[in-house]
Amino acid sequence: MILCDIGNSFYHFYQDGKLWKQSVKSVPTLDENEEIYVVSVNEDALARLSKKYYTIDLSDTLCLDSEYVGLGADRAFACYAANDGAVVDAGSAITVDVMQGGLHLGGFILPGLSTVVESYAKISTRLDVGFNMGVNLKELPQNTKDAISYGALVSIIGAIKEASKNKFIYFTGGDGKFLSRFFEDRSAVDDTLIFKGMLKLIERDFVC
Amino acid sequence: MILCDIGNSFYHFYQDGKLWKQSVKSVPTLDENEEIYVVSVNEDALARLSKKYYTIDLSDTLCLDSEYVGLGADRAFACYAANDGAVVDAGSAITVDVMQGGLHLGGFILPGLSTVVESYAKISTRLDVGFNMGVNLKELPQNTKDAISYGALVSIIGAIKEASKNKFIYFTGGDGKFLSRFFEDRSAVDDTLIFKGMLKLIERDFVC
């Protein structure tokens, strides 16, 4: 059994504790005898995978307790695994969802860190100065590169703080590890969260 | 005497209490007998204006008390006028600067509101759903449009809150009025702030 989470940019795979990913622009090479359980927010990439392999789409099988209309399957499965606390999936977009005792309270979406950094360059070439990952957030910046780095980070971290209140935060996605540093006392990085949700549903014979 | 602030997107003009603006892609029609005092962060647009009119560039004449390397002339003049408090210029980029008794403590830059909203569409067509200006920031969103609107707004407002602490905030720029609503008890909208700084310097015979 292989698990696959298809996002905007990558196929994310999981098998027996092993994680790997590859661009949605490429065609994955997998064991053809394995069943591939999939959640996807990217129809084209799912179609390409299903053309070559036997896939079982779990996207619409989960009945998460939520009022949210149009919750992506990836977010739903990560929330289902977390059960309680905030779930932050930091990829090309950053989704922030809040769970309380199995109930999904709602969530919001931020542009991802690289998207924010790239957006400065599009405003003006004067702002195309790169990103300082080590910028000090405790002091106001004194040059353009720090001003942009501080702005990009404070906007993301401030929004996560605002919504998560004092809840525990599960970080996942490409920038999850980096962002978790700013919530050290109450966060964990878990790149298997979506897969844990999928396994939980499979183990429960698809009864939420 | 005409005052002109040239940004990334617009020429902003001021004369005897009258304000007007036009795209930097167009060529302004002005009284040729008037001296035009200019601050600019857009060299090409300044060159085009100077080709047709007699301009006096104030950009490098101001000696604001600041450690900041590369502070745009527009930010410096707005800060010079404010003297104390936070100065937020919300255009295609949002600059946030903090002043204390005439001293510039530092500042940072966020992508502007429209830039943030547009950046969602570039991540995925699923996120190309527009912006709800009336989204409720007191409750977690329950659909994609609100999730994006909440994310865009909370990231900007949270960052301004974080840096301004409890200081008074001067808002200027195209989105200044809209953003000021979230700081009603301690903010003012002043679209003439940069021009006030220019007039202050001119009245003091260019002695900061």
Side-chain angles (χ1 to χ4, degrees), chain A residues 124-163:
Chain A
S124 163
T125 52
R126 292 176 56 251
L127 300 180
D128 189 6
V129 292
F131 181 69
N132 174 10
M133 282 182 78
V135 66
N136 182 357
L137 296 188
K138 288 179 182 152
E139 286 178 19
L140 283 168
Q142 302 295 346
N143 61 67
T144 305
K145 188 170 184 173
D146 282 355
I148 282 169
S149 309
Y150 180 105
L153 270 177
V154 162
S155 66
I156 291 170
I157 292 164
I160 296 172
K161 255 188 200 164
E162 182 82 15

Side-chain angles (χ1 to χ4, degrees), chain B residues 105-174:
Chain B
L105 299 181
F108 62 95
I109 308 171
L110 301 166
L113 189 54
S114 61
T115 306
V116 177
V117 172
E118 283 163 21
S119 72
Y120 287 107
K122 281 170 198 152
I123 297 169
S124 163
T125 52
R126 291 176 57 253
L127 301 180
D128 189 6
V129 292
F131 181 70
N132 174 10
M133 282 183 79
V135 66
N136 182 356
L137 296 188
K138 288 178 181 152
E139 287 179 17
L140 284 167
Q142 302 296 347
N143 62 67
T144 305
K145 189 171 183 172
D146 282 354
I148 282 170
S149 310
Y150 180 104
L153 269 178
V154 162
S155 65
I156 291 170
I157 291 164
I160 295 172
K161 254 188 201 164
E162 182 83 14
S164 68
K165 310 287 182 201
N166 293 315
K167 284 187 159 59
F168 191 84
I169 308 172
Y170 295 91
F171 281 96
T172 184

Side-chain angles (χ1 to χ4, degrees), chain A residues 112-189:
Chain A
L113 189 54
S114 60
T115 307
V116 178
V117 172
E118 282 162 21
S119 72
Y120 287 107
K122 281 170 197 153
I123 297 169
S124 163
T125 52
R126 292 176 56 251
L127 300 180
D128 189 6
V129 292
F131 181 69
N132 174 10
M133 282 182 78
V135 66
N136 182 357
L137 296 188
K138 288 179 182 152
E139 286 178 19
L140 283 168
Q142 302 295 346
N143 61 67
T144 305
K145 188 170 184 173
D146 282 355
I148 282 169
S149 309
Y150 180 105
L153 270 177
V154 162
S155 66
I156 291 170
I157 292 164
I160 296 172
K161 255 188 200 164
E162 182 82 15
S164 67
K165 310 286 182 201
N166 293 315
K167 285 187 159 58
F168 191 84
I169 307 172
Y170 296 90
F171 281 96
T172 184
D175 290 322
K177 193 173 175 182
F178 174 62
L179 292 177
S180 73
R181 290 185 207 163
F182 302 96
F183 300 87
E184 264 186 352
D185 54 331
R186 56 175 177 111
S187 75
V189 180

Side-chain angles (χ1 to χ4, degrees), chain A residues 17 84 134 138 157 160 188 198 206-207:
Chain A
D84 215 281
K138 288 179 182 152
I157 292 164
I160 296 172
M198 294 169 77
F206 305 98
V207 180

Side-chain angles (χ1 to χ4, degrees), chain A:
Chain A
M1 179 172 68
I2 295 172
L3 306 183
C4 179
D5 158 34
I6 311 178
N8 296 313
S9 310
F10 290 98
Y11 292 105
H12 299 266
F13 293 103
Y14 177 92
Q15 187 177 30
D16 299 329
K18 189 182 155 200
L19 279 173
W20 70 103
K21 71 174 183 178
Q22 66 182 78
S23 167
V24 288
K25 289 171 188 160
S26 65
V27 181
T29 305
L30 304 166
D31 182 343
E32 288 181 11
N33 298 317
E34 292 284 358
E35 289 176 335
I36 304 168
Y37 288 88
V38 176
V39 295
S40 176
V41 295
N42 186 331
E43 284 181 27
D44 293 347
L46 172 57
R48 283 195 297 280
L49 191 72
S50 300
K51 209 169 173 182
K52 199 170 165 194
Y53 300 101
Y54 179 65
T55 58
I56 300 157
D57 188 359
L58 299 185
S59 303
D60 296 324
T61 59
L62 180 64
C63 45
L64 187 75
D65 194 355
S66 172
E67 298 288 312
Y68 197 104
V69 178
L71 190 68
D74 48 354
R75 291 167 68 184
F77 275 91
C79 286
Y80 182 57
N83 204 56
D84 215 281
V87 177
V88 178
D89 187 348
S92 48
I94 299 173
T95 56
V96 182
D97 288 285
V98 182
M99 292 292 291
Q100 191 170 294
L103 174 67
H104 178 249
L105 300 182
F108 63 95
I109 307 171
L110 301 166
L113 189 54
S114 60
T115 307
V116 178
V117 172
E118 282 162 21
S119 72
Y120 287 107
K122 281 170 197 153
I123 297 169
S124 163
T125 52
R126 292 176 56 251
L127 300 180
D128 189 6
V129 292
F131 181 69
N132 174 10
M133 282 182 78
V135 66
N136 182 357
L137 296 188
K138 288 179 182 152
E139 286 178 19
L140 283 168
Q142 302 295 346
N143 61 67
T144 305
K145 188 170 184 173
D146 282 355
I148 282 169
S149 309
Y150 180 105
L153 270 177
V154 162
S155 66
I156 291 170
I157 292 164
I160 296 172
K161 255 188 200 164
E162 182 82 15
S164 67
K165 310 286 182 201
N166 293 315
K167 285 187 159 58
F168 191 84
I169 307 172
Y170 296 90
F171 281 96
T172 184
D175 290 322
K177 193 173 175 182
F178 174 62
L179 292 177
S180 73
R181 290 185 207 163
F182 302 96
F183 300 87
E184 264 186 352
D185 54 331
R186 56 175 177 111
S187 75
V189 180
D190 190 345
D191 283 331
T192 66
L193 206 57
I194 293 170
F195 302 122
K196 278 180 180 158
M198 294 169 77
L199 286 173
K200 185 173 166 183
L201 189 70
I202 293 166
E203 281 161 9
R204 291 185 178 187
D205 282 334
F206 305 98
V207 180
C208 319

Side-chain angles (χ1 to χ4, degrees), chain B residues 13-182:
Chain B
F13 294 102
Y14 177 91
Q15 187 177 28
D16 299 329
K18 190 182 154 200
L19 279 172
W20 72 102
K21 71 174 183 178
Q22 66 181 79
S23 167
V24 288
K25 288 171 188 157
S26 64
V27 182
T29 304
L30 304 166
D31 183 343
E32 288 181 10
N33 299 316
E34 291 283 358
E35 288 176 336
I36 304 167
Y37 288 89
V38 177
V39 294
S40 176
V41 295
N42 187 330
E43 283 181 29
D44 293 347
L46 172 56
R48 283 196 297 279
L49 191 71
S50 301
K51 210 170 170 180
K52 199 171 165 195
Y53 300 100
Y54 179 66
T55 59
I56 300 157
D57 187 359
L58 298 185
S59 302
D60 296 325
T61 59
L62 181 64
C63 43
L64 187 75
D65 195 357
S66 172
E67 297 288 313
Y68 197 104
V69 179
L71 189 68
D74 48 355
R75 292 166 67 184
F77 275 91
C79 286
Y80 182 58
N83 203 56
D84 215 281
V87 177
V88 178
D89 187 350
S92 49
I94 299 173
T95 55
V96 182
D97 288 283
V98 182
M99 292 293 292
Q100 192 170 294
L103 175 68
H104 178 251
L105 299 181
F108 62 95
I109 308 171
L110 301 166
L113 189 54
S114 61
T115 306
V116 177
V117 172
E118 283 163 21
S119 72
Y120 287 107
K122 281 170 198 152
I123 297 169
S124 163
T125 52
R126 291 176 57 253
L127 301 180
D128 189 6
V129 292
F131 181 70
N132 174 10
M133 282 183 79
V135 66
N136 182 356
L137 296 188
K138 288 178 181 152
E139 287 179 17
L140 284 167
Q142 302 296 347
N143 62 67
T144 305
K145 189 171 183 172
D146 282 354
I148 282 170
S149 310
Y150 180 104
L153 269 178
V154 162
S155 65
I156 291 170
I157 291 164
I160 295 172
K161 254 188 201 164
E162 182 83 14
S164 68
K165 310 287 182 201
N166 293 315
K167 284 187 159 59
F168 191 84
I169 308 172
Y170 295 91
F171 281 96
T172 184
D175 290 322
K177 193 172 174 182
F178 175 62
L179 292 177
S180 73
R181 289 185 208 163
F182 302 96

